[in-house]
Every structure is written in C-alpha cells, then in structure tokens.
Amino acid sequence: MAWMKRTAVGLVAVALLAGTGAAVYVQRSFAVVDGKLAVQGLAQPVQVQRDASDVTHLRASTPQDAWFAMGYVHAQERTWQLEFNRRVMHGELSEVFGSATLETDKLMRALDIVGVARRQYAGLPPYAKEALQAYSNGIRAFHGNRPQALPPEFLILGAQPGGARGAVWEPEDSVGWALMMALDLGGNWGSEFARLSLARTLDTDRLWQLMPPYPGEKPAASADLAAMYRQLGVYRAGGSGSTAAGPSPAAEDVAGVAGRQAQGPLSRQVSAGMLAWSEELTRNAGTNEGKGSNNWVIAGSRTVSGKPLLANDPHLGLSAPAIWYFAGLQAPAGQAADGTPIAPIDAVGATLPGLPFVVLGRTDKVAWGFTNTGPDVQDLYLEQINPADPAQYRTPDGWAPFTVRAETIRVKGQADVQLQLRSTRHGPVLSDVQKSHAEVLDLGKYVLALRWSALDDDNQTVVAGFKTNQAKSVDELFAGLAHYHSPMQSVVAADDQGTIRFKAAGRVPLRDAANDLRGVAPSPGWDARYDWKGWIPYDQTPQDDGAKGWVATANQRVTDPGYPHFLTQDWALPYRYERIAQLIEASPKHDAASMQAIHRDVTSLATRRLLPHLQQAQTSHVLAAAAREQLKDFDGVMDAGRPAPLIFAAWTDELARGLIIPRIGGDRFTATYGKRDYRAALEGILERNDTWWCQPSSCAEQSAAALGRALDRLQAAHGADPAQWRWGAAHPALSVHRPFGNVPALARFFDVSVPSHGDGYTVNVGQYNAGEASGPFVNRHAASLRAVYDLADLEQSRFIYQTGQSGLVFSPRYRDMSSTWAETGYRALQRQPTRWVHTLTLVPGAPAQ
C-alpha cells in the first residue's frame, strides 16, 4: 500500500509539473506586444501598436526600418507559416515530413522557384533589393534573439527554423513567395493537360461540349485537337489518363501531444495528411478552376456621399492561420544606400507574410482591390525526343540538347533523392516530375515543357508592391502597377478626388495569328508558329474609367467586343458578375451598408439556371416527396440554414458523375473533376436535351436517377428527414492547418471551422470540391478577406477575414474573427485609430560581441 501511495503521489507530482510546464510554455510562446524590445539591426526606434481591430501599425523613422519591423512582426506572429511556406517553395518539405511530400518537392525543384527568384532578385533596382534585405533582416533578427518560445508545430515535428541550412528567410525568398502566388493564381497548364487527356477519348466537338468556351464565344483553337494528337502518336499504349485519387481524411491536448512527437500514430497521421495535401497540390497546380474573387467600385455620382465606394473580396484557399496579416506601415521619405530617393510610405491593409508591403488596402488618399484576371500565361509544349539520341529534343532549327541540372532532396528517414531535371528552350520539363504525364503520354517519344511568363528574369512584381504603398492618387497607383508582372490582376481603384478606374495589370503574351491552338492545349514545340511573339503593352491591357458610374470584376471576361488581343478563353462563368451588376443597378445611390449587403448576397444564378431540371425530376425514392417539399419554394438562395441547397448540390454532383463517367471513364473523371465541376457542360447537355451524353437513358431519366442517388447519400449522411438537413452542416467553411488538419487529436485545435452560406457562384462565395471523398461539400475556397472603402472618409473603411491575426494556436487571437467573418461582419480599418490596445517599442540593440 505504501508503495502504491508513493507511486500515486509521484504520478500526481509529474502531472502537476507537466501541467505547470505546459502553462509556462504556452505563456512564453505568445508574441510580445507591450513594452520595449532591443533588436539588433534597427537604425532608430519603431513603434509597433495594435488597435481595437487588432491591426498592427508600424511607425518608423525611415522606410528601411519600417520594412525591417514588418519582417520582425511577421516572424513574431506567423513563424510557422513562414517556415512552412519557405519549405514549400524551396522544395524542402520532405526534410521534415519524409516521402509524403516528395512529389511537391520535386515539382518545386523542377520549376526552379528558388533559382528563378535569385535571378529576378538580382535584376531588381537597388532600393527594392535593399527593402527585401531589410525585411529579411527583421525576420532573422527575431530568430537571432527570440523573445518568445517557438510555436508547437516546431516542437511536435522536431523541426528548426531555416532547416539544415539555418536560413530562416533570405531576401530572395520574398521574390519566391510572389512567384508562389503567381503559381496559385496564374495557371492553366492543368486545363491544357486535361484537354490533352480527354482528347484521347472524345472527339474535338465533344471535348468542347465537356469543356465549353466562354458563353457566346467559339472555341479559341481552330485545330482538331483529337486528330492532331492521334496523328502525332503522343499517347501511351494502354494509358488510362488517371491521376492520384483525391485527398482523404487521415489523435488530446496540444501541449500533451508536443511531448510525444516521436510516437508512431501521430507521425503516420501527419504523413497521411501531408501525402493527401501534396497529391492535391501537384494535381491542381496550373489550374484556375474554382478560383475567383470579386471587386467593384462605384463613382460618386452613384453614392449617397458623392464620393466613391470600393469593395473587394479575393477568394483563396482557406487556411489556418490565414494567408493575410493586416498591418499599417508609415515612414517619411528617405533614400536608398545608392542615393535613390524613396517616397513616404503610408498604407494600411492586407499584407502577405513573406512580403514587406500592403498588398490590398489603402493609403491616406487612394484605395484598391484585386481580382484574378486569369489570362493564359502558361503554355505546354510537346517536345519530341530524338529517337537516335534521347538527350536531344526537336526545335525549329533541328535537334538540340536538353539543359540538365542535378537536384538533391533530403528525405526524413531515408536516403536522399537525386533528380536529373531537364529544360528546353520553352522552360522546365514537367514530365520529369508529374506522374500523370507517364499515365497519358508515351514519354519515350514526347515530354511536356512549360512556358510560363512568371519565370522570366524581368519579373519585377515586388516593385509594384512598394509603389502602391506610396500612391496618392489613382493615376499614381496605376503608374506603379506598370511594374506588375505576374499574375495579372484586375485592379479597381478610387481616390478621394473622385476618380475611379479598372485596369488589368500584368504581363500577357502575344500569339502568332497562325497559331491555331492559342494555348488551350499542348502545342508541337518544334513549330515556331506556336512560340510567343512578345507582350501586350501595358497601355493596351483592358481598362474602364467607369463611364457608366461603376465597374465590377468577378473573373468574367473583362475585354470588350473587338478587343484586339487574345487573353484567354478560360474565363470564369459570369454568374457572380451578373449578380453584382443586378445589385448595383437595383439602387440609384449606394452607401457602405449597401456595399456590405452585396458582400452578404448568397443568391446563386447558376443554381437558378439548373433548378427547373431538378424540380421536374421524378423518382420513386422514399424521400422524394419530402425532398420536393423542401425544393418547392427554393429560389437559388444558398442559405446555410436550409436543406434545399444541400439537395441541389448533391444532385448536381451525381448528375455530373452519371453523365460524364460513362463517356470518359472513371479514371479520367477522377483526374479532372473536383474544383472543375463541369457546370457549363451540364447546363448545355440538359438544355440541348443531348441524347449522346444522356444515353442510354433520356436526360430526364438521368436527372431523376441522379436525384435518387443523391437522396441515398444524404439519407446515409444526415438522416431520414430532409426537413432536418442543413446546407451549413455539410458546407462549413474550413480553414485547414498544415500539417495538423488531418490529425484528429490536433485538428480540433488547429483548424478553424464555421457553418457557411453560398456556393461557387454566389457573391458570398463558398467553393467546394465535390471530388473530395471526405467532405465533398465543405467550403474550402472562399472570401479570404472582405473590405469596403469609403472615399468620403477613409477612416470609415472596414475589413474582416476568416481566422485571426495570430498564427499561434494557443492565442485567443488565433480565430477571433471567424464568427464575424461567417456572419459577414466587419472591423474598422483605420490609419489613425483613436485608441491603442497594445504598444511595443522596438529599439536598436547593442551589436553582438
């Protein structure tokens, strides 16, 4: 008994000590937000103040100190996010996560993101290099003398900032992160490859029915794709055209788990989650499908105040922490080390951890917002391999050698992986690293190389970022955006003098008039007519000065009829734009409240278009009558509290599967479906009553069968009473943490989830991936922020995003915006707040001895 008592006392003591230690660790991990910190590398003190909206304001005496302090604060708040993002672009994830992330590392090495970033950085003007160096120095200063404990991700994974090299953030990494944003937003190589794969099964006319051009337009390519690829003999014998299946779900107190990082189950779950994420990233790289944003600006002639109003909500993948960090930067004019004058900095808004400027926001005189234009700036080229010498490929001038470089990837728990990566005159050979190419192509005869504008050495997008933070008018803003390269953005802007404007900023290639493919599918790389012929001049990119009193963009076609240059045929369907236009025109005068009401709108014009076909579907399913009752007064409002949106979403998913899989096969469907929902194809098939696609049944019978299958699924997942089903329960907005979103014991701490409205076609967007085996209707891609700017009084501007400012899971600021975001509420976005909640002074530290 005495032994048992001593053991029990000992266990209690250990538990108490562990609890005390965990509490001390949690407290030490919080960012220092008050008092004074000595920081080596600053020239003069910097005020770091946080207002009632938790926006961080940096007030410095020089631009260099402002950029330095931004790096320091990003490191304070988002250390793990910076480390994870650095590893992604460097292709160094496998050093921490093992072979689960090897395919992503291979892709990043093949694209040579870091090598390209170094070359682009070398070509920047001296003041821009100095700015990025200052930002990097701020991050490094934080890690050189950290005033807080590392976040739990490092402890659980046994990782160190900067990895084996200890390089926590180099100035070139900021250029690299701008490239990663271009990769996320500026791609269509995935659509090109999908057309190549589908053309093996479908003739060209059927291909255009499955992947139609923009409404009212003809296919951009006049060539017969299916015939061309057959004649060239590009396909692998017996190739299925499949890719890896979609991600599936991959186990307790976070502090407790941190002490058990070496245990097998946790490691396996992290690996499973990262494998699923890696497969999704590599599969969806180079596609704009399911990506979109909204912005609109209204002239003073259409507002209550007589001054412009501007709104923006960029739609990005939801993550925890969020992609954005809201901050204000102020510094007087200065000069670079070479004497170059630097204009005053005065901006507040959304920054990207990894970059030292406000990306979206306002100065004291002008506000701006972005949506993705989505031009075709990526072309895949079929490079023919010399049968007599596989080290050569065919060019317009004969055979030429591949350029080859070696890469070594360190992989946790196993031997290093050695890569031999090829490139051609067009760019990197993606077939060296993308498994799907081997499943479709005869790689002994052809490989696919990528020409992508963002990889060009003269990409100076970061310069445009610095210029916007110094703009005092719409004219100055767009003069600065002349430096913007990739990815092209549809920018709306307004200033306090009443000027409004839209312009597409970025680089788009010119294509030869004889190019009969126009970049919509892989081109023969040895035929010079498919090479790019230059760039659309900045003064010829689409522009609208708001003559009708407003301008809006929502990834729809932004070129007027007769516009002389080809941008793309892969615009987003225009439903969000059309709804924004309806709501703007519904009122003669607008104010901030009406702008916010547009942000809240969840009427889906796309749903309204297909809804009659669902309401007419006749099925003998036991729940059919109850389902019809829920659909009876449904008008396409995708309300989280209603069953009807869920029934509609399940029906469209089953309809796509029922109509398309028999025509292209399950493997190709899995490879191409998900973020690409084939909505335009479904509309065309049902409205044409297309017997080829609907065979062997009628289209009405296919629709009824799809409803029956949908009701089976919903009954199994949500119960037998359709009146109790809720769209919001199946459609939560899920901001996923990497890598712990797939670890059940950790996901409940690290992920942020709230019920949400909308679908992929509503202004208040809620994009889901129906190809997901788990959570097919989960909202994974939505408004990454919302902002409304009132040029009558810019201090009345408002913002919100879906998580919180802190990237530390223990912090009450980790998820404190989520409910407000879900309810489409806002926080104040001010340059000169009346009250400070926290004040920290960074002072120059003593030089290291």
Side-chain angles (χ1 to χ4, degrees):
M1 289 294 295
W3 175 84
M4 291 176 65
K5 288 178 182 178
R6 288 194 299 272
T7 301
V9 169
L11 289 173
V12 169
V14 169
L16 289 172
L17 287 171
T20 302
V24 170
Y25 163 70
V26 168
Q27 192 63 37
R28 287 191 60 241
S29 66
F30 289 158
V32 177
V33 294
D34 290 297
K36 185 180 293 187
L37 284 175
V39 180
Q40 186 173 348
L42 277 175
Q44 299 182 54
V46 177
Q47 289 287 101
V48 181
Q49 297 175 295
R50 290 167 170 86
D51 65 20
S53 296
D54 203 23
V55 176
T56 302
H57 297 258
L58 311 177
R59 287 172 166 79
S61 299
T62 67
Q64 290 87 343
D65 277 351
W67 296 319
F68 179 103
M70 191 73 264
Y72 192 91
V73 169
H74 279 163
Q76 271 192 313
E77 301 270 41
R78 302 291 183 88
T79 298
W80 172 250
Q81 185 178 37
L82 285 167
E83 175 65 12
F84 187 85
N85 292 347
R86 185 194 63 78
R87 286 185 176 276
V88 171
M89 62 183 165
H90 279 256
E92 294 178 355
L93 288 168
S94 299
E95 187 178 298
V96 173
F97 299 107
S99 60
T101 52
L102 189 54
E103 295 308 310
T104 293
D105 285 349
K106 288 179 179 179
L107 178 60
M108 296 305 139
R109 300 294 182 95
L111 293 172
D112 195 23
I113 295 294
V114 172
V116 170
R118 289 180 180 136
R119 294 192 294 275
Q120 292 178 357
Y121 175 80
L124 293 176
Y127 80 90
K129 288 196 279 190
E130 190 173 335
L132 296 182
Q133 184 66 66
Y135 178 76
S136 169
N137 289 345
I139 295 175
R140 292 154 75 177
F142 170 80
H143 286 287
N145 185 23
R146 279 192 296 268
Q148 62 202 63
L150 285 172
E153 292 91 337
F154 291 96
L155 277 67
I156 295 172
L157 296 168
Q160 287 297 319
R165 297 181 295 110
V168 291
W169 196 267
E170 299 297 326
E172 296 90 343
D173 289 336
S174 292
V175 180
W177 194 239
L179 283 171
M180 292 301 295
M181 293 304 297
L183 178 62
D184 184 47
L185 296 173
N188 81 319
W189 94 60
S191 295
E192 290 189 38
F193 184 75
R195 291 185 180 106
L196 172 68
S197 176
L198 291 166
R200 182 171 191 175
T201 302
L202 301 173
D203 64 37
T204 301
D205 288 342
R206 301 294 185 196
L207 174 60
W208 291 125
Q209 292 173 356
L210 184 59
M211 299 180 70
Y214 192 70
E217 297 184 2
K218 295 179 179 179
S222 59
D224 186 335
L225 303 180
M228 180 183 74
Y229 295 137
R230 282 196 304 270
Q231 291 165 6
L232 291 175
V234 303
Y235 296 113
R236 180 176 76 89
S240 68
S242 67
T243 64
S248 57
E252 197 152 24
D253 173 80
V254 176
V257 174
R260 298 192 297 279
Q261 63 193 51
Q263 282 192 5
L266 175 61
S267 178
R268 285 194 297 271
Q269 289 172 15
V270 169
S271 294
M274 291 305 295
L275 175 62
W277 172 83
S278 179
E279 289 178 342
E280 181 184 17
L281 187 150
T282 54
R283 183 175 62 254
N284 290 319
T287 177
N288 281 332
E289 298 284 350
K291 298 174 182 177
S293 304
N294 306 315
N295 64 16
W296 63 96
V297 60
I298 301 179
S301 60
R302 295 289 303 272
T303 69
V304 174
S305 71
K307 291 288 188 177
L309 292 162
L310 187 148
N312 190 201
D313 54 300
H315 307 158
L316 298 169
L318 300 180
S319 63
I323 192 170
W324 304 110
Y325 182 85
F326 267 71
L329 290 86
Q330 293 185 24
Q335 65 177 27
D338 67 348
T340 302
I342 302 174
I345 301 169
D346 190 353
V348 62
T351 71
L352 286 169
L355 293 170
F357 45 75
V358 171
V359 177
L360 297 171
R362 69 180 185 88
T363 65
D364 60 332
K365 301 289 186 182
V366 60
W368 68 94
F370 287 2
T371 68
N372 201 36
T373 312
D376 187 347
V377 296
Q378 293 179 343
D379 279 359
L380 290 178
Y381 289 90
L382 286 161
E383 307 288 20
Q384 186 175 11
I385 296 173
N386 187 347
D389 183 357
Q392 296 182 329
Y393 69 100
R394 186 180 174 187
T395 77
D397 302 316
W399 300 104
F402 288 99
T403 300
V404 182
R405 60 186 168 85
E407 291 278 349
T408 300
I409 300 176
R410 299 183 61 180
V411 184
K412 182 179 180 179
Q414 62 186 61
D416 294 350
V417 172
Q418 308 295 330
L419 295 178
Q420 295 292 312
L421 298 172
R422 295 173 289 179
S423 60
T424 72
R425 68 191 187 94
H426 295 115
V429 174
L430 295 184
S431 300
D432 286 342
V433 295
Q434 295 226 279
K435 293 186 293 185
S436 57
H437 292 198
E439 297 164 347
V440 175
L441 293 171
D442 183 345
L443 295 183
K445 296 168 63 178
Y446 298 96
V447 292
L448 287 173
L450 173 68
R451 176 74 173 100
W452 178 24
S453 61
L455 298 180
D456 286 7
D457 290 351
D458 64 349
N459 182 347
Q460 295 193 355
T461 296
V462 293
V463 173
F466 294 118
K467 296 286 188 181
T468 61
N469 286 205
Q470 301 162 339
K472 298 296 184 181
S473 68
V474 166
D475 288 339
E476 285 187 16
L477 181 87
F478 282 107
L481 286 169
H483 297 275
Y484 200 96
H485 190 292
S486 301
M488 178 177 256
Q489 297 292 288
S490 295
V491 185
V492 296
D495 63 30
D496 63 355
Q497 298 304 301
T499 303
I500 70 168
R501 186 175 304 157
F502 148 74
K503 187 171 181 61
R507 190 73 67 86
V508 182
L510 291 166
R511 292 179 169 84
D512 196 302
N515 184 337
D516 57 358
L517 293 173
R518 301 179 90 181
V520 303
S523 306
W526 56 91
D527 191 332
R529 65 179 159 148
Y530 298 116
D531 291 342
W532 295 353
K533 306 303 180 184
W535 307 99
I536 298 176
Y538 182 61
D539 62 4
Q540 295 180 28
T541 64
Q543 180 171 324
D544 186 336
D545 292 328
K548 67 175 179 285
W550 59 273
V551 187
T553 78
N555 317 109
Q556 85 287 0
R557 176 178 174 164
V558 295
T559 55
D560 294 325
Y563 181 73
H565 305 298
F566 175 74
L567 265 62
T568 184
Q569 77 160 25
D570 293 327
W571 309 101
L573 291 173
Y575 293 116
R576 283 181 289 110
Y577 169 78
E578 291 170 351
R579 182 59 178 167
I580 292 168
Q582 287 178 359
L583 295 170
I584 291 174
E585 289 294 349
S587 176
K589 298 285 185 178
H590 286 271
D591 57 15
S594 67
M595 301 284 275
Q596 294 169 11
I598 297 174
H599 267 159
R600 284 193 292 274
D601 189 78
V602 291
T603 296
S604 174
L605 300 184
T607 295
R608 286 182 175 178
R609 183 167 176 178
L610 280 184
L611 184 58
H613 298 279
L614 171 58
Q615 291 172 328
Q616 294 162 15
Q618 299 297 317
T619 174
S620 60
H621 195 282
V622 65
L623 299 183
R628 277 195 294 270
E629 183 65 23
Q630 297 304 319
L631 293 167
K632 183 173 59 176
D633 62 347
F634 180 48
D635 60 355
V637 176
M638 307 300 280
D639 189 315
R642 296 194 60 181
L646 177 57
I647 299 170
F648 178 85
W651 170 74
T652 55
D653 179 34
E654 289 297 334
L655 185 64
R657 295 173 185 276
L659 295 178
I660 299 171
I661 289 176
R663 306 279 79 83
I664 68 173
D667 288 340
R668 283 192 182 85
F669 183 81
T670 299
T672 58
Y673 182 65
K675 291 184 177 181
R676 178 185 295 108
D677 63 4
Y678 289 121
R679 179 62 62 88
L682 296 181
E683 292 169 352
I685 291 167
L686 293 184
E687 290 167 5
R688 291 191 308 270
N689 195 24
D690 194 312
T691 57
W692 188 87
W693 286 98
C694 291
Q695 65 178 304
S697 304
S698 70
C699 290
E701 290 168 338
Q702 287 279 15
S703 177
L707 177 57
R709 294 192 301 272
L711 294 175
D712 282 340
R713 284 175 59 186
L714 297 177
Q715 181 177 10
H718 301 284
D721 183 2
Q724 299 302 312
W725 299 346
R726 295 291 180 268
W727 178 228
H731 185 248
L734 180 62
S735 298
V736 178
H737 181 276
R738 300 296 175 210
F740 297 143
N742 284 88
V743 179
L746 297 177
R748 57 194 171 120
F749 298 102
F750 286 89
D751 286 354
V752 178
S753 180
V754 289
S756 67
H757 305 283
D759 68 4
Y761 301 98
T762 53
V763 177
N764 184 1
V765 77
Q767 179 75 37
Y768 57 87
N769 182 347
E772 291 274 359
S774 175
F777 306 122
V778 170
N779 178 2
R780 304 174 191 274
H781 197 102
S784 60
L785 68 84
R786 299 186 188 97
V788 175
Y789 306 96
D790 187 344
L791 276 297
D793 181 0
L794 277 166
E795 289 297 274
Q796 297 302 313
S797 300
R798 296 289 184 265
F799 84 100
I800 199 68
Y801 63 95
Q802 88 284 1
T803 58
Q805 288 277 79
S806 176
L808 178 68
V809 68
F810 304 120
S811 172
R813 301 165 50 243
Y814 182 75
R815 65 184 75 231
D816 62 328
M817 295 190 204
S818 60
S819 296
T820 305
W821 174 87
E823 296 162 1
T824 329
Y826 299 84
R827 291 183 176 185
L829 182 61
Q830 300 176 313
R831 287 176 51 258
Q832 302 290 346
T834 58
R835 183 172 70 91
W836 300 113
V837 177
H838 299 286
T839 297
L840 172 69
T841 303
L842 303 180
V843 299
Q849 299 299 314

